[in-house]
Amino acid sequence: MDKLLIVGGTPLSGEVAMSGAKNAALPILCASLLTSDPLQLTNVPQLKDISTMLRLLGDMGVGVTMDGVDGMVLDASALTNPVASYEMVKTMRASILVLGPLLARCGEARVSLPGGCAIGARPVEQHIKGLQAMGAEITVEQGYVLAKASRLKGARICTDMVTVTGTENLMMAACLADGETIIENAAREPEVVDLANCLVSMGARISGAGTDIIRIQGVEKLHGATHAIMPDRIETGTYLCAAAATGGDIRLTRTSAAYLDTVVDKLLDAGCDITVERDAIRIRAPQRLKAVSLRTAPYPAFPTDMQAQFMAINCIADGVATIRETIFENRFMHVNELMRLGANIQIEGNNAIVRGCDHLEGATVMATDLRASASLVIAGLVARGETLIDRIYHLDRGYERIEEKLEKLGAQVKRVH
Ligand code: EPU
């Protein structure tokens, strides 16, 4: 199993390009199931989660042709097998995103329930309830969701909580339904908007994406399209934090600050200087950061996917910060690992109280989930001496060529096989 060896203490400097967004690419790959025409995508990140999704789609009969470094063409004209097995879904929860498109296009689907996950229970009952409201007959047998519908019907759906993949699944299903679907309490995440933009270029009739009410007027058929995946706002935020923690000065290109308002605001509060360009961001960090408190919540509030990285920067900031996690019930797995590096963190329910220390010391730590791993990388970059991060397969799920990008910024990072 690969590990990452980091020698901390070098301020990051220089320039690096950001990749396409994992959480936009995953639903958009599933959107290919909605048409028998080719869907051409660019700026697709090369990540483990993407190759898992391509394997899942391939098993269903979707043809995948790679096109250059970050492009591909998906062809679901010969969709034969509307099944997502437990073996696939258990390795990647986002596999549930095939449920809506399969049901809409094939009239049936057999998709494994994802089961629990390191960061929380993460049930999918809102996806199921929404599809039932659209007329699907759904049963759960032997851990599988069995769904049937001759043609889905438009419906008014109000989800109990804001759910990103739930909104995406229902929006995709509604594209081919008979009549209008209204999704209330919809997720407003930029990735939902990127998916909607792709669907619209495939002929879908969607309005309101990016607000909490999305209206979809069902059509008979979708057609092929070309779409460029949006930049990864969480990868961008992670590199900004790495620069902030190390007292660095970096410029991130092929990205946008447009969806990072709350993250940029917190970095400004921490004392960083940030310059926003049309498709680049530069950050210059002070000698010592100021502690910044935050509370995670659905977009446009502070993203849960950036919570762990801000925990890491608060560990070495001046002052005390309170970090409140409101989306997932178990997303503090990185705390004990950060404490192995010398951090002072106290957990009280869903609050973490972080008292900044003047330095961290390298140690061996274990990655537990994707964003927790990112926080350990940031802590390792700032710690004195060597930090060895075990189980970095979590990182490979969501950060493209991370050691190469960090090395480009001057960090001492090595993958150990
Ligand atoms: N929830 C339910 N029932 C449902 C759906 C959601 O109780 O039917 C709960 C979840 O358990 C959670 C909350 O609602 O407590 C929000 O979950 P959501 O459904 O929004 O999460 P998700 O769609 O499974 C996506 C991202 C996550 C990101 C969350 C929150 C993808 C593929 N994943 O997950 O990304 O943390 O939204 O923004 O888009 C990551 O990239 O590291 C990651 C975990």
Side-chain angles (χ1 to χ4, degrees), residues 22-24 26-27 49 92-97 117 119-128 160-168 187 189 191 233-234 297-299 303-305 326-329 331 369-372 398-399:
K22 165 182 84 79
N23 289 348
L26 289 170
D49 274 8
M92 188 183 63
R93 303 181 56 80
S95 312
I96 193 72
L97 283 164
C117 151
I119 61 177
R122 302 183 75 183
V124 291
E125 85 291 349
Q126 299 301 313
H127 305 228
I128 294 175
D160 290 355
M161 76 290 294
V162 177
T163 157
V164 177
T165 49
T167 302
E168 292 165 345
E189 267 65 3
E191 293 76 13
R233 65 190 168 107
I234 306 300
Y299 191 85
T304 173
D305 290 345
T326 75
I327 306 287
F328 293 111
E329 62 274 22
R331 215 174 195 184
D369 77 75
L370 174 56
R371 308 305 171 188
Y399 290 93

Side-chain angles (χ1 to χ4, degrees), residues 6-16 238-252 282-285 377-378 380-382 402-403 405-413:
I6 303 178
V7 182
T10 314
L12 297 189
S13 72
E15 191 171 293
V16 75
T238 302
Y239 280 88
L240 291 176
C241 284
T246 57
D249 176 353
I250 65 170
R251 185 167 173 268
L252 304 175
R282 179 172 176 191
I283 181 168
R284 276 166 285 192
V377 172
I378 294 169
L381 288 170
V382 75
I402 187 164
E403 69 273 27
K405 290 191 185 187
L406 286 171
E407 263 179 359
K408 197 154 182 258
L409 296 172
Q412 292 188 57
V413 184

